[in-house]
Amino acid sequence: QVQLVESGGGLVQAGGSLRLSCAASGSAFTTNAMSWFRQAPGYQRELVAVISGNGRVNYLDSVKGRFTLSRDNAKNTVYLQMSGLKPDDTAVYYCNADLNVLTGTGWFRQEYWGQGTQVTVSS
């Protein structure tokens, strides 16, 4: 099993910045992709940014130029640097990991979610 631990959410004024972290630990694994999703009250969960195993990054159009997704492979951690925050960015942010995990019976592709971290942007 793999655990995802998120940190870095909070309350910030419009125009401010926050950095979210998501650290993966547990069983041996390789990474297909790691992502950040967000869900605001009354809205569906949406993909904010994703980094593939080869390092390619894609962003939701509304965050391009403001958010930067990066990773530290040595720490099995991804970071979402959010700048120029807007009230519309207010949501619970969830880390997602698409992994190949070594279990007692071999390698299996599995998906994991973090517990979520609240980001609130005041106007």
Side-chain angles (χ1 to χ4, degrees), residues 34 48-60 64 67-71 79-80:
M34 291 191 73
V48 176
V50 54
I51 184 166
S52 65
N54 63 10
R56 181 174 180 142
V57 183
N58 286 290
Y59 297 96
L60 179 69
K64 286 180 180 177
F67 290 11
T68 301
L69 180 61
S70 62
R71 69 183 179 193
Y79 305 95
L80 184 67

Side-chain angles (χ1 to χ4, degrees), residues 4-7 36-37 92-95 113-119:
L4 301 181
V5 177
E6 302 163 353
S7 61
W36 284 96
F37 286 73
V92 178
Y93 283 69
Y94 297 91
C95 179
W113 289 92
Q115 77 280 7
T117 185
Q118 177 70 47
V119 171

